[in-house]
Amino acid sequence: MSNVSTTTENKHLKFTPIQSFVESSFFTKLSELKLNEFKLDSTKKQIKGFSTHPRRLNKFNDHPTINFDYSSFDKGLNVDDSNISWKGYVYNVNTIEEFKDIDKQATLKRWGTEIFDKIKDSSADLGYECINKVHLLAFCDLKKYKFYYWFAFPTLHSPWNIIRSEEDIVESFIPSIKDFVDTSKFVQFFQIGDGNMIERILDFQDNKVFVFIDTCLSQECAPSVQLKNYLYILAHKGFEEIDLIIYRNNGSSFFWKLQLDKNKFTINEVPKILGWERLSSGKFGPRLADLGSLIDPQELAKQAVDLNLKLMKWRIAPNLDLNLIKNQRVLLLGAGTLGSYVSRALMGWGVRNITFVDNGRISYSNPVRQPLFSFKDCYSDEGQGEWKAIRAANMLKEIFPDVQSKGYNLEVPMIGHPVNDEQKQKSNFDKLSDLFDDHDIVFLLMDSREARWLPTVLGLAKDKIVLNAALGFDSYLVMRHGNISQESNDHLRLGCYFCNDVVAPNDSLSDRTLDQMCTVTRPGVALMASSLVVELLVSILQHPRKQYAEPGPANSSILGEVPHQIRGFLHNYTQNKLQTPNYKHCSACSKYVIDKLNELGWVFVKNCLNDVAYLEETCGLLKVQQEADLASSELLKDLELSDDDDSEWLD
Amino acid sequence: MIKDGRITNCQFNDHIDEFNELLLQNLRLVTSNSNSEISDANFDIINNYKKELNLNTKIQKKIYMLTRICISGFSLPTSLLVDFTISYDDFYMVPVLYFRVFQDSSRSIGGNIDEAGVTPITSTEELISNYYSVLNLNDDLNLGPTITLDSHHLIYDSSVWFYIHPCETLRTLKEFMEADNILFTCDSEQAQVLKYLCIWYATYGLGGIFPSISLRLSLQV
């Protein structure tokens, strides 16, 4: 740090420059005022700074420091006993160009001249806050939370030389100065007589010792630059030779006998004015505080969400791979009750990429059960209600701006519902297929069984992690679908939602009564299933074998077991873990079906939609059914009475 | 005297100046011998002030001490500024630490306004990846006590600080304080409170987060 010095013929007077310290609440307060009060008004506004009271200084206060924080805009001068305050102004300009274009020298001269004019006015009573002032030039970039600022502490130059710096009398004055500093209202510059302090500049007398209360404890005999303004006043008032004690609380007070170089002093001319604060590199220039990460709400939410999860990692599970979870792209088929709760639980785990697919609009019964929607969503969009998928995606962003959420208003082709608009249904299929490609994980959260068929097939064909949650009135099923691994033991692969059926799913919607048309369940069931299915996903992701992890306690990961199915019942509050291998003739996950889909694509899907028998034939269920029919008819045949038997009976 | 292994707001207020003095005099950057790249690191106290709140009101007086330290050295990408406050939490009945870390590039680069700035670091990863050796952080991301981002309980604005959550402080400090050899009956209240605060500093204060910024006391306490 360089010291400002004035050159003299005799001994240099060295001063220690002031350092500003801005705690960021100063800037948050300034931006708040700019937004709500100042607006485009760039005229000067009062501020104040504070410094540690000289009686409290310690060896680390080697520079006079003026601090600024939220309290700098408070009206009035009240500060606590620990500090003294400095008055001044902030000039908050509206553009960075204005900030750069301001003539810094001329501005500083104007500020200095204000002090000069006050000194000239012989009637003015000059308190320390009037002499050493604070000026701040600032520009707030409120969009980026960047603050450009430059402080000036103007000082007036007067040509004094040190003619002597040793004096025995100093020690005798120290106790009374100390007492004055410790107990009286702060005065920075005064005269000391026979135990009396002369505080008013107007009352200063010849032949009495002056005292400057230093605001720093610099190593060398370089008092705070604030002394310069008092010296200028003395020169201006006609003092030519003075005795000065620079008082410090740590025993390093010192003495200067100073003489004014009259040849270099012109009383009516504005003197040389200095005061722009230097950067810590020593150069002159403005500072920049880039506080986005401390203030920007969006940034804060992002950091807080991540940090919250990290706490779990640090405290509970050090090996938790949070980035793996964060980077998953998740596709939610269904944006109803399950979709809402699942998305929220996923966000809780830090998942950032969530896509909804749904083809419904929000109805009046939805918001109470579906936490992403509210009353107004039921009648907006010209009274029809918002599209669920779109609104759900937007709502996630409202909850957490850093989430990448999208919504697709799309009908998933359903098995048992014949194709009646091929162009539309094919495009839905293509879109769905693309969405599968773009995501890592698929949740089946629709309200019907047949809507889950195609996603089950696609999920396996495209090797996605597929999770399924389904609700009964007071029961739920949460499961993961098995994935075909590279290993040859496919008969051990975990089953899917359809593996236990011996018929292909069919239209269950057409002939439903009113109570069956929406999912009629005890309301808490959806929350239970949603939380479980998300936790099951996280357990899968944290398992070293991921989706190929075998269920059961023998294959635990850091989060424990990775079950296949969880079934829960509310009528007796029980929950069971179940595990079933795939059924080789399953209408959704059998190899016959997957192979056919891979071979024929949409044509296969179309055929299945149009005729469930085609699917049953493809997967071999038809044959199984025929065999079963055959077996039962043979059994019947076995039970039939033969003619011989008949005759016996007749006897 | 300290009761139940904890100090009160009053005791905190009465002795924070002495603790602050102790802290300023004894705070050290302790470079571990095994790590040569940080042996050139410098440690400075840049600022230290005390704020008193609730003056002239009926509510009890609250105090916080704010300190800025600067750590610089050739092995660091930029100088590191650490601001921290020490205050007393009335609900948890313990001292609390709020802190911030800034990169200060203004010391090395001049002239270009956009680079001559002080930028906060709010990502723990960034802190660990660039400064873990000098701060003696664990590279397994374990920052010790529970850290959250929160607004400061005594500085009323919309910005955030790292905050060591005090949910465990009371119990842990009580255990330490009730250990046989900590407090002597002949200790003055000041001595007891200072001991308490020193232990707090090392566990839930700055030393609990950055073990290398250590309070090395000489024996006079």
Side-chain angles (χ1 to χ4, degrees), chain A residues 1 19 21-26 28-29 32 50 52 56 58-62 65 67-71 78-83 96 99-100 146 148 279-281 283-284 286-295 299-300 303-304 307-308 310-311 313-315 318 323, chain B residues 17 20-21 24-25 45-53 55-56 64-66 68 83 100 102 104 106-111 113-125 128 140-149 154-162 168:
Chain A
M1 205 65 49
Q19 271 181 1
F21 177 87
V22 189
E23 199 274 305
S24 65
S25 64
F26 176 84
T28 52
K29 197 83 190 173
E32 197 186 302
F50 62 94
T52 298
R56 293 178 45 87
N58 60 55
K59 71 170 179 181
F60 299 100
N61 299 113
D62 53 358
T65 304
N67 303 294
F68 298 85
D69 67 5
Y70 61 95
S71 66
N78 290 339
V79 286
D80 53 59
D81 289 347
S82 307
N83 298 302
I96 185 71
F99 184 94
K100 285 178 181 161
K146 283 185 170 183
Y148 299 82
L279 293 167
S280 34
S281 61
K283 293 184 178 174
F284 282 109
R287 285 160 202 261
L288 167 66
D290 182 355
L291 300 181
S293 60
L294 296 181
I295 306 172
E299 277 292 305
L300 294 182
Q303 295 154 9
L307 192 57
N308 220 15
K310 268 177 225 151
L311 292 180
K313 183 176 161 69
W314 294 336
R315 308 293 279 182
N323 279 332
Chain B
D17 280 341
N20 186 56
E21 188 74 12
L24 295 177
Q25 300 293 340
I45 291 168
I46 305 282
N47 199 6
N48 176 250
Y49 65 75
K50 174 183 179 182
K51 284 273 280 197
E52 298 175 46
L53 310 173
L55 300 170
N56 314 319
Y64 68 88
M65 308 283 325
L66 187 147
R68 166 169 284 187
D83 289 3
R100 281 174 175 161
F102 300 87
D104 182 7
S106 63
R107 273 150 207 277
S108 40
I109 308 156
I113 180 169
D114 281 315
E115 289 167 25
V118 165
T119 318
I121 302 177
T122 43
S123 135
T124 44
E125 272 96 357
I128 288 161
D140 68 354
L141 299 183
N142 189 344
L143 281 188
T146 303
I147 305 177
T148 54
L149 277 172
L154 296 177
I155 299 175
Y156 307 112
D157 81 329
S158 55
S159 63
V160 294
W161 296 69
F162 280 121
E168 293 171 351

Side-chain angles (χ1 to χ4, degrees), chain A residues 139-157:
Chain A
F139 166 66
C140 313
D141 182 343
L142 295 179
K143 283 202 181 99
K144 294 180 185 152
Y145 304 93
K146 283 185 170 183
F147 301 90
Y148 299 82
Y149 65 105
W150 200 353
F151 278 98
F153 310 101
T155 55
L156 278 51
H157 175 77

Side-chain angles (χ1 to χ4, degrees), chain B residues 120-138:
Chain B
I121 302 177
T122 43
S123 135
T124 44
E125 272 96 357
E126 190 182 343
L127 197 57
I128 288 161
S129 59
N130 288 327
Y131 301 96
Y132 83 97
S133 59
V134 76
L135 296 172
N136 206 4
L137 301 168
N138 288 328

Side-chain angles (χ1 to χ4, degrees), chain A residues 157-356:
Chain A
H157 175 77
S158 51
W160 296 86
N161 298 324
I162 303 171
I163 50 176
R164 191 151 52 85
S165 56
E166 298 296 320
E167 184 58 62
D168 298 338
I169 58 152
V170 173
E171 287 310 314
S172 63
F173 285 114
I174 294 299
S176 50
I177 298 174
K178 177 176 166 30
D179 185 56
F180 182 69
V181 170
D182 287 357
T183 57
S184 300
K185 191 168 168 283
F186 179 70
V187 181
Q188 195 170 23
F189 195 81
F190 53 88
Q191 261 189 325
I192 185 164
D194 312 316
N196 299 327
M197 310 299 167
I198 302 168
E199 298 175 24
R200 278 160 53 92
I201 286 166
L202 294 174
D203 301 336
F204 285 166
Q205 300 164 18
D206 279 334
N207 306 322
K208 283 214 164 110
V209 177
F210 287 97
V211 180
F212 174 70
I213 308 299
D214 206 352
T215 46
C216 70
L217 305 181
S218 61
Q219 297 285 320
E220 347 161 41
C221 291
S224 161
V225 71
Q226 293 169 322
L227 174 59
K228 284 176 71 185
N229 285 337
Y230 298 104
L231 293 181
Y232 181 83
I233 292 172
L234 296 189
H236 197 273
K237 302 284 175 198
F239 290 88
E240 291 174 3
E241 201 171 288
I242 59 163
D243 290 343
L244 174 66
I245 295 173
I246 287 104
Y247 171 80
R248 292 171 168 190
N249 67 338
N250 66 343
S252 67
S253 303
F254 56 95
F255 173 84
W256 277 351
K257 191 172 192 70
L258 300 178
Q259 192 178 48
L260 184 69
D261 187 347
K262 279 186 288 184
N263 299 328
K264 292 186 180 168
F265 187 73
T266 326
I267 191 158
N268 287 321
E269 206 171 88
V270 177
K272 189 167 95 180
I273 293 157
L274 292 175
W276 285 113
E277 189 180 6
R278 289 170 191 263
L279 293 167
S280 34
S281 61
K283 293 184 178 174
F284 282 109
R287 285 160 202 261
L288 167 66
D290 182 355
L291 300 181
S293 60
L294 296 181
I295 306 172
D296 182 356
Q298 200 155 327
E299 277 292 305
L300 294 182
K302 197 159 117 186
Q303 295 154 9
V305 165
D306 284 345
L307 192 57
N308 220 15
L309 283 164
K310 268 177 225 151
L311 292 180
M312 176 158 43
K313 183 176 161 69
W314 294 336
R315 308 293 279 182
I316 316 285
N319 296 320
L320 202 61
D321 189 346
L322 291 171
N323 279 332
L324 179 71
I325 300 172
K326 188 175 169 177
N327 295 330
Q328 296 301 317
R329 300 164 301 166
V330 181
L331 180 63
L332 304 186
L333 302 181
T337 313
L338 287 168
S340 293
Y341 284 118
V342 165
S343 65
R344 300 220 52 161
L346 287 170
M347 286 209 295
W349 268 109
V351 174
R352 296 291 214 273
N353 202 318
I354 299 174
T355 305
F356 292 96

Side-chain angles (χ1 to χ4, degrees), chain A residues 338 341 471 476 478 523-534 568-570 573 575:
Chain A
L338 287 168
Y341 284 118
L471 310 178
Y476 56 83
V478 164
V525 175
L527 282 79
M528 302 168 89
S530 304
S531 345
L532 280 172
V533 76
V534 171
F569 306 92
L570 260 74
Y573 290 94
Q575 184 172 287

